[in-house]
Every structure is written in structure tokens, then in C-alpha cells.
Amino acid sequence: MTDTNVKQTARGVALAALVRIEDGAYANVALPAILRRSELDTRSRAQATDLVYGTLRRQRSLDYLLSQKMNRKIAALDPPVRAALRMGVFQLVEGVPAHAAVGETVTEIGLVQAYARGYVNAVLRRVSEMGPDWPWPQGDNTKSLAVRTSMPDWIAELLVNDLGYESARGMLEAANRPGVLTLRPNMLRTSCDDLVKELERDGATVQRGALIEDSLLVYGAGDPAILPAIAAGRATPQDQASQEVARLVGAQPGECILEIGAAPGGKATAIAEAMNDTGQVVALDSDTGRLRLVTNAKARLGLQSVTAVAADGRKPGLRPNHFDRVLVDAPCTGLGVLSRRPEARWRLRPEQISQLGNLQRELLTSAAGLVKPGGLLVYSVCTLTAVETHAIGDWAVNTFDGLVPEPLPDAPWEQDGPGARLLPQAAGTDGMWILRLRKRNPGAG
């Protein structure tokens, strides 16, 4: 399905995006690109976004309902037909009246084949008769939990084993809640109060964050990419959990800071702002394409202290014992950010966890040699698997004799091995894990 075939309705745009995402595109790239080429108004853009992200989040649950009313395997259908069915059922589950969820999904999308329109119409009408008391599987077993929360079995099983059933259930349920646009004010260019007034003048509703008081939760702002406050560098979209990690680095004006795995630049620029744009923040990443996002963010925010460096964090070629603080923002499974990256749950594979664990150890080993005596090493991942969190923490504490764990952050963080975890349901944020290690001065007691 090409853009020339996209009907200029919210459902038509959403269908086009879903087909592209199934073909391998990322939702946060494909959907904005299609929206910007569309003629949809703000309300219709928001509807298209809800349809795409909601359908992706609930995909397994939707397929569960569809499988009870279809005589064909959903995997055997053409991608536009499969996407239309899932999107239609998502609307039904969300309480959209059947005449709109079924009728408009079929007629507004304008599927090319007449037989497909009839098939989609028939299946959706049969599914609509099952609700509103949808027959989800019951019980506290992981299989039922995986279906209800729309997760692959292996992810549900893994998190139940690593976190316990109740914490895992809360985390999986949180992954299906729509993300909220969260802004970090650039205090070098504005204040929280002034930014709130600006956003409200533009028609948005604004709330202060529960975890980071200076963060702003913004509702009804439209496309963040064209929001004046963001475009002019007065604010940056960044979840509160990521803002908190940057804060916990504890950077002071004039210090020399390194972030390994810095793209797209949210934490590096937050650290630079916290330092009043003094000192130096070296934002290192091996992906040169994504590193351009750091450079763009630096320019947008008017920062001088950030330097983007393309290098492998395992062999960065930097001076040993040089940095006051080093943040390892390690590649991970990203299970703590599934509400914002819903398609990731369908693309992850179990074998990636051990592979990532090996990479995380290598990055930490490299980083440990770059922190100066008395300096701080911070390891952070936006996931909560045991292999990538407290297992890494235990290994680091037992491996690096000169590094000592720092005190844990306050609630809603909770202790997890030598580090701390932030469950996404605890404060309505991304899920995050952090470890802070202080490097002893030689000869210190």
C-alpha cells in the first residue's frame, strides 16, 4: 500500500502505517512520516495515532478474539486485510459503537478487493456480537496473562519468573496504556511556569510530573515535532524515568561527563542543561546515523558543552581515568518502554537477552577504566529482566574491586540487588533499572 492509495481519513492513514510497520518499519518513524504527508486535522491525527499504537499494543488479544470467529488463519491473510481486522476489533474492544468500528473501518479504508471488504465486514460483525463482556481467558497462569496483556508467552513467563506474578502483571498491563507526552523544560531558555503558560495558550492541558516535579505531562498538544516549544529548544520530549536517570548521574557545573550509548541524546542534553552548559559532555555512540540526532538536539537546544563522538563503547579510544562521571546507557531488551514502542514485543527473541547481557558487561568493563578516582559510574537500562539488571549489578560489584555501590534512590524506586528498579506502574513512567558505583581513591580507607 503506497501513500497514493492512502485515503485521507484517520482510519486510512492508520491502516497504511500498520502495513508498513508489519513490513519492518518502526511505528515512531512510519506513522509521523505518513501523518506529515496527510491533510488530516489535529483531531484526526490524534485518532490515527491512537488506532496505530492501540492496535499494535493489543495485537495478540485482538487475534485471540478474531481466531474465534474466523475460518482462516490470520497469518494467511493479506497484510491490509489483517491490519483492517485488527484495527476494527481494537475499536470494538475500546467501546467504539459497532456501526463505526465495523462500517467505517470497511468503507473509509477503501480496500481494493471487493471480496476483502465483504470478508472484513462479516468477521468484524461476528466479533462485535461477543462483547462488551469479552471472553478473555481467566486465571492467574502465565498463558492467560500473556493473552490478556497481549504479550508473547516467553515475555510473560520471563517477567513472572524475574519479578513475581503481581509485579509482572502490573508491568505488562502498564505496557498497554497509551504513553503521555512528557516534556523536560530547558531551564537555560525558559522556566516551568512560563512553559506551562505557553503550552496552555496553545490549547494543551498540562500537569506536573509525579516523579520529576519539573517535568510536564502534556495532553492535547498535537504533533510534538511541530510544537513551538520543542522546535525552538525550550523543551525536550523525555519520559520522567529517563530524566531521573540523568538527574541521578549527579553532574556538577564544570565537570567532564561521558555517556556511552548516548543517541538520540535525551540524557546527554539533560546532563548538559543541569550543568548550566559548562564543562563537557561527551556523547558517544557507535551508530553514526542515530548520533546525528544528538547533534540535532544539541543545536536545537543551543548547547555548547555536548560533543558527539562516533565510537564503539567497548573500545572507545578515550583517556583512562579521565571522566568525573560515566553513564552507560546500555542497549537492552527495552521491556520497560513497550507502551511507547509497542511493536518491539513482537520482534524480540529470547536469545537476545544473553547476547545483550554479554554486551552490557563489555561496556561496563570499558567504562570502569574511564572513571577517575572518586568519580561515579552509572549503569542504566530501560528493562527489568534479571539477566540485564541485578545479575549485571552482582557481577560488577564482584568484578570491579575499586567500585563501591552508592546509596539507592528514594521510593518509588525499590532495591533490586545492588541497584534499584523503577516499575512502570509505580509512577506512570517507563520501567528502568539503575546501578551507581563510586570509584575509590587509591589509598582511601
Side-chain angles (χ1 to χ4, degrees):
M1 179 175 291
T2 64
D3 281 358
T4 56
N5 294 327
V6 175
K7 194 171 181 182
Q8 292 298 307
T9 64
R11 290 178 175 86
V13 166
L15 174 67
L18 287 168
V19 171
R20 287 197 181 183
I21 293 163
E22 183 173 333
D23 194 40
Y26 292 99
N28 65 336
V29 175
L31 178 59
I34 295 174
L35 284 173
R36 286 165 199 157
R37 290 192 293 269
S38 76
E39 299 174 357
L40 298 183
D41 59 23
T42 300
R43 181 177 179 181
S44 295
R45 286 168 179 254
Q47 182 186 8
T49 301
D50 289 342
L51 287 171
V52 169
Y53 278 82
T55 301
L56 290 171
R57 291 186 189 101
R58 303 293 301 178
Q59 181 175 303
R60 183 175 185 185
S61 301
L62 306 175
D63 287 357
Y64 174 81
L65 296 178
L66 282 166
S67 67
Q68 299 180 52
K69 296 297 179 180
M70 287 175 55
N71 55 9
R72 301 172 63 185
K73 296 289 187 182
I74 194 164
L77 300 174
D78 292 337
V81 178
R82 183 164 47 245
L85 285 169
R86 286 169 171 165
M87 191 169 69
V89 177
F90 169 70
Q91 294 170 80
L92 291 169
V93 169
E94 289 296 298
V96 176
H99 71 270
V102 178
E104 294 183 23
T105 295
V106 174
T107 59
E108 290 191 22
I109 287 172
L111 293 168
V112 177
Q113 302 95 337
Y115 83 89
R117 289 199 298 271
Y119 182 73
V120 170
N121 181 73
V123 172
L124 290 180
R125 292 202 177 279
R126 288 198 293 268
V127 172
S128 71
E129 296 169 357
M130 300 167 66
D133 295 325
W134 305 101
W136 304 119
Q138 301 302 307
D140 291 340
N141 59 82
T142 55
K143 180 78 171 182
S144 296
L145 178 65
V147 173
R148 292 197 304 269
T149 59
S150 189
M151 288 286 166
D153 285 346
W154 73 269
I155 290 181
E157 292 170 1
L158 177 70
L159 291 178
V160 168
N161 288 335
D162 288 353
L163 303 176
Y165 184 85
E166 286 303 318
S167 291
R169 180 182 60 79
M171 180 177 173
L172 295 174
E173 289 175 349
N176 291 318
R177 298 188 188 112
V180 177
L181 174 61
T182 306
L183 298 185
R184 182 191 82 226
N186 180 0
M187 299 301 193
L188 303 177
R189 289 190 168 181
T190 189
S191 67
C192 269
D193 290 342
D194 286 345
L195 186 56
V196 169
K197 292 175 184 177
E198 176 184 351
L199 294 166
E200 290 179 341
R201 282 197 304 268
D202 291 338
T205 301
V206 185
Q207 296 177 0
R208 294 291 185 111
L211 183 65
I212 301 288
E213 185 179 359
D214 289 339
S215 66
L216 302 178
L217 310 184
V218 184
Y219 303 85
D223 185 355
I226 60 175
L227 199 63
I230 296 175
R234 293 186 291 276
T236 293
Q238 187 178 33
D239 184 80
Q240 290 183 81
S242 291
Q243 294 185 47
E244 175 82 333
V245 169
R247 185 186 69 80
L248 290 169
V249 171
Q252 301 299 312
E255 289 186 334
C256 190
I257 312 296
L258 170 66
E259 182 184 0
I260 296 175
K267 296 184 183 72
T269 54
I271 290 169
E273 290 170 14
M275 293 166 57
N276 296 321
D277 202 23
T278 64
Q280 184 180 33
V281 180
V282 177
L284 185 146
D285 204 284
S286 61
D287 189 328
T288 55
R290 281 173 51 80
L291 200 61
R292 283 195 290 271
L293 299 174
V294 179
T295 303
N296 293 342
K298 170 187 174 180
R300 180 179 61 82
L301 295 165
L303 299 171
Q304 302 299 318
S305 60
V306 177
T307 301
V309 174
D312 186 336
R314 295 168 293 186
K315 298 178 180 179
L318 299 173
R319 192 190 316 168
N321 303 312
H322 175 68
F323 294 93
D324 294 289
R325 302 167 197 269
V326 176
L327 169 61
V328 179
D329 194 8
C332 68
T333 51
L335 297 184
V337 296
L338 290 180
S339 66
R340 292 189 291 108
R341 302 173 192 169
E343 73 276 19
R345 70 188 75 185
W346 314 120
R347 297 178 181 178
L348 283 169
R349 296 292 176 266
E351 60 270 16
Q352 291 176 271
I353 298 178
S354 60
Q355 295 167 0
L356 287 164
N358 292 334
L359 174 58
Q360 290 154 1
R361 287 179 176 84
E362 291 182 86
L363 292 173
L364 263 176
T365 300
S366 170
L370 299 172
V371 184
K372 66 171 55 174
L376 188 69
L377 173 60
V378 181
Y379 168 83
S380 174
V381 285
C382 55
T383 195
L384 293 164
T385 70
V387 169
E388 301 172 272
T389 58
H390 62 253
I392 294 289
D394 291 339
W395 169 83
V397 170
N398 292 325
T399 300
F400 305 123
D401 291 337
L403 292 171
V404 181
E406 285 279 278
L408 301 175
D410 296 332
W413 293 85
E414 55 187 53
Q415 182 171 1
D416 186 38
R421 68 186 182 194
L422 179 65
L423 295 171
Q425 63 267 35
T429 68
D430 290 343
M432 199 72 64
W433 195 89
I434 192 169
L435 172 71
R436 298 186 297 167
L437 300 170
R438 181 73 61 181
K439 193 168 191 176
R440 288 197 189 101
N441 280 300

